């Protein structure tokens, strides 16, 4: 009698080492960007397939939590609920940058702050100019202001072999400031009628959260229910619920006490980042990016003033804003460009920053609740991001080729003189 072999479980729970490896991969923005890209492609294919009716039925299906006063569609749960997790991670990263990162001193913060500010202001100005000339609506002025760091880093990963690491570091710091601007815009400009009782309750929840952190209280059973309650109160207050995620991220302690291996913020980020990158943001993309790509729909992108303003803001505004902002900051302040970078690198990076997806789609939904106009704005975000990604790939691939030639030249020189490059001094980076 032969012993039967155990059946292989399809899509079963992975063994612990493999689960750890997947989670670690998702902690990098690059892998998260690739998952996000896959979700967006699935959404587009599903929404434009014969099964588009099923897509709309799932997206618009309502369910709720009566105890919290919530009854939302699946699309709203992903936008208001799951994206709060994404903004929690963003809030932690903001706090870390302000406490121990590049933004802790004015000298190091000047360049990315000025570049990010100009990279938000000029796209908004170009959108306003476009819709004013076309007799359109100014409601979407904030849509082209946001950069999607996960998508941008995914594109950078595809083309980056010899590009300097300083390029990625500059993009990350730029995106942190960009995220802060987007958070403030959502909180200030996209707030409906306020429920002051709910707002007071949310504020009390944040104060209690802060007190627990100051008192060094540990245990998820304190923080998770309090965080969910604060999020629900923030939603019912009229302020966008994702603001609760940012606020909690900013409250979490980023410095370690004696005897701690990690700060509370680092522990939470380590645990939550894989869920944010692998589940929360891709699910939002799945139910936000499903727009019609028929000829008539794409025609609206280049003929209607609002979608056209979004495309121009992302593709032209981001380049002008970030490049000119960086140049002016380096020219008229004490801020200096990293010696490993050239101005051609900054141009490619500025083009890459025109990829606006997650936050741009969210602001588009808030600015244009009308389904027809909202679909055109979503299509404009996708088209503008695609154009920016292609242009950035062309520019940065050229830079990558130049850096590769420099690296090969260094290797030949090292082989010729027998001195390893780690003992050589001086920078070999050139502007190309």
């Amino acid at each position: 009698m032969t012993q039967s072999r155990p059946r292989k479980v399809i899509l079963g729970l992975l063994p612990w080492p493999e689960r750890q490896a997947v989670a670690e991969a998702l902690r990098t923005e690059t892998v998260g960007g690739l998952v996000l890209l896959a979700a967006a492609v699935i959404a587009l294919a599903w929404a434009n397939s014969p099964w588009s009716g099923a897509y709309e039925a799932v997206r618009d299906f309502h369910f709720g939590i009566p105890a919290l006063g919530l009854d939302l569609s699946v699309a709203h749960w992903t936008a208001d609920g799951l994206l709060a997790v994404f903004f929690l991670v963003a809030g932690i990263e903001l706090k870390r940058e302000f406490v121990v990162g590049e933004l802790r001193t004015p000298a190091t913060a000047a360049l990315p702050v000025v570049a990010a500010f100009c990279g938000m202001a000029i796209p908004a100005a170009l959108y306003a100019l476009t819709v004013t000339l076309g007799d359109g609506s100014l409601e979407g002025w904030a849509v082209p202001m946001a950069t999607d760091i996960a998508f941008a880093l995914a594109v950078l990963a595809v083309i980056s072999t010899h590009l300097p690491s300083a390029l990625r570091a500059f993009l990350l710091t730029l995106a942190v400031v960009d995220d802060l601007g987007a958070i403030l815009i959502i909180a200030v400009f996209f707030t409906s009628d306020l429920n002051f009782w709910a707002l007071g309750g949310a504020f009390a929840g944040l104060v209690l959260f802060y007190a627990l952190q100051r008192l060094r209280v540990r245990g998820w059973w304190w923080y998770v229910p309090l965080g969910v309650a604060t999020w629900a109160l923030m939603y019912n207050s009229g302020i966008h619920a994702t603001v609760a995620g940012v606020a909690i991220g900013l409250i979490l302690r980023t410095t370690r006490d004696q005897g701690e291996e990690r700060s509370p913020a680092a522990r939470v980020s380590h645990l939550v980042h894989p869920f944010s990158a692998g589940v929360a943001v891709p699910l939002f993309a799945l139910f936000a990016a499903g727009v019609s790509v028929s000829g008539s729909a794409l025609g609206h992108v280049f003929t209607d003033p609002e979608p056209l303003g979004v495309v121009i803001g992302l593709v032209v505004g981001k380049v002008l804003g970030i490049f000119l902002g960086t140049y002016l900051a380096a020219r008229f302040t004490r801020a200096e460009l990293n010696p490993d970078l050239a101005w051609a690198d900054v141009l490619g990076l500025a083009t890459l920053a025109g990829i606006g997806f997650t936050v741009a789609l969210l602001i588009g939904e808030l600015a244009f609740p009308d389904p027809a106009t909202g679909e055109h704005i979503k299509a404009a975000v996708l088209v503008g991001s695609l154009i920016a990604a292609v242009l950035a790939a062309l520019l940065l691939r050229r830079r990558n080729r130049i850096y590769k030639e420099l690296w090969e030249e260094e290797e030949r020189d090292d082989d010729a003189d027998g001195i390893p490059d780690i003992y050589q001094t001086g920078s070999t980076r050139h502007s190309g």
Side-chain angles (χ1 to χ4, degrees):
M1 179 173 161
T2 59
Q3 187 175 6
S4 61
R5 288 163 51 182
R7 281 204 244 169
K8 186 175 180 180
V9 179
I10 304 299
L11 298 179
L13 188 63
L14 292 172
W16 176 245
E18 292 182 36
R19 273 184 280 164
Q20 282 187 308
V22 171
E24 195 61 42
L26 286 171
R27 287 188 184 98
T28 68
E29 296 287 357
T30 300
V31 176
L34 295 174
V35 177
L36 179 60
L37 177 61
V41 171
I42 291 171
L44 285 169
W46 191 2
N48 290 276
S49 72
W51 302 278
S52 59
Y55 175 82
E56 294 173 2
V58 173
R59 182 191 62 192
D60 299 333
F61 178 76
H62 275 67
F63 65 96
I65 305 175
L68 298 178
L70 300 172
D71 182 26
L72 308 174
S73 67
V74 169
H76 277 109
W77 274 113
T78 59
D80 294 297
L82 291 181
L83 275 196
V85 180
F86 165 78
F87 278 102
L88 169 65
V89 176
I92 292 172
E93 182 61 24
L94 280 170
K95 178 76 171 287
R96 193 198 69 80
E97 287 290 334
F98 282 122
V99 175
V100 297
E102 289 292 319
L103 303 179
R104 69 186 184 278
T105 60
T108 57
L111 208 62
V113 168
V114 172
F117 177 78
C118 294
M120 291 185 287
I122 292 183
L126 287 180
Y127 174 90
L129 177 63
T130 303
V131 298
T132 300
L133 293 176
D135 196 24
S137 171
L138 288 170
E139 293 295 322
W141 61 274
V143 176
M145 295 175 67
T147 295
D148 194 297
I149 183 61
F151 253 148
L153 287 176
V155 173
L156 190 61
V158 171
I159 59 178
S160 173
T161 304
H162 296 88
L163 289 171
S165 59
L167 193 70
R168 187 178 188 275
F170 189 89
L171 180 61
L172 283 168
T173 309
L174 186 76
V176 167
V177 183
D178 191 279
D179 283 344
L180 177 60
I183 291 160
L184 293 173
I185 287 168
I186 291 172
V188 175
F189 295 100
F190 295 99
T191 295
S192 56
D193 295 335
L194 290 177
N195 180 333
F196 288 100
W197 287 106
L199 183 59
F203 182 74
L206 293 173
V207 170
L208 180 57
F209 203 101
Y210 175 79
L212 292 174
Q213 283 286 288
R214 292 286 292 179
L215 295 171
R216 302 308 194 257
V217 175
R218 301 187 67 172
W220 64 266
W221 50 87
W222 292 100
Y223 294 103
V224 173
L226 179 59
V228 172
T230 303
W231 169 84
L233 287 165
M234 190 70 75
Y235 176 85
N236 285 294
S237 73
I239 295 177
H240 200 269
T242 53
V243 174
V246 178
I248 291 172
L250 291 171
I251 289 172
L252 283 168
R253 180 166 51 87
T254 56
T255 55
R256 292 183 299 166
D257 285 342
Q258 187 173 3
E260 283 185 328
E261 291 185 6
R262 289 180 176 176
S263 67
R267 288 198 301 270
V268 172
S269 180
H270 186 78
L271 291 171
V272 174
H273 201 158
F275 177 81
S276 171
V279 178
V281 177
L283 279 178
F284 168 75
L286 182 63
F287 294 108
V291 298
S292 172
V293 291
S294 63
S296 59
L298 291 176
H300 283 285
V301 171
F302 298 102
T303 56
D304 292 357
E306 295 87 356
L308 182 59
V310 169
V311 173
I312 292 175
L314 288 172
V315 178
V316 180
K318 277 290 184 181
V319 177
L320 290 177
I322 292 174
F323 186 83
L324 290 179
T326 305
Y327 177 78
L328 292 175
R331 176 70 176 81
F332 295 106
T333 71
R334 293 184 177 181
E336 293 183 357
L337 187 67
N338 190 307
D340 282 343
L341 296 179
W343 286 108
D345 299 322
V346 177
L347 179 63
L349 183 142
T351 308
L352 190 66
I355 301 175
F357 190 79
T358 306
V359 179
L361 289 174
L362 176 61
I363 295 176
E365 289 184 352
L366 297 174
F368 296 100
D370 175 64
T373 307
E375 291 289 294
H376 299 158
I377 295 297
K378 288 181 181 180
V381 170
L382 297 177
V383 170
S385 299
L386 178 61
I387 295 173
V390 171
L391 291 176
L394 293 174
L395 290 171
L396 291 175
R397 279 185 68 86
R398 178 182 177 275
R399 298 299 303 164
N400 190 45
R401 187 169 61 251
I402 292 172
Y403 282 122
K404 181 181 179 181
E405 291 171 357
L406 289 171
W407 178 81
E408 291 174 344
E409 183 180 339
E410 289 176 358
E411 290 295 303
R412 287 194 297 271
D413 291 343
D414 293 339
D415 292 339
D417 59 25
I419 303 176
D421 62 338
I422 59 172
Y423 297 110
Q424 306 234 3
T425 59
S427 174
T428 58
R429 300 294 189 199
H430 306 291
S431 63

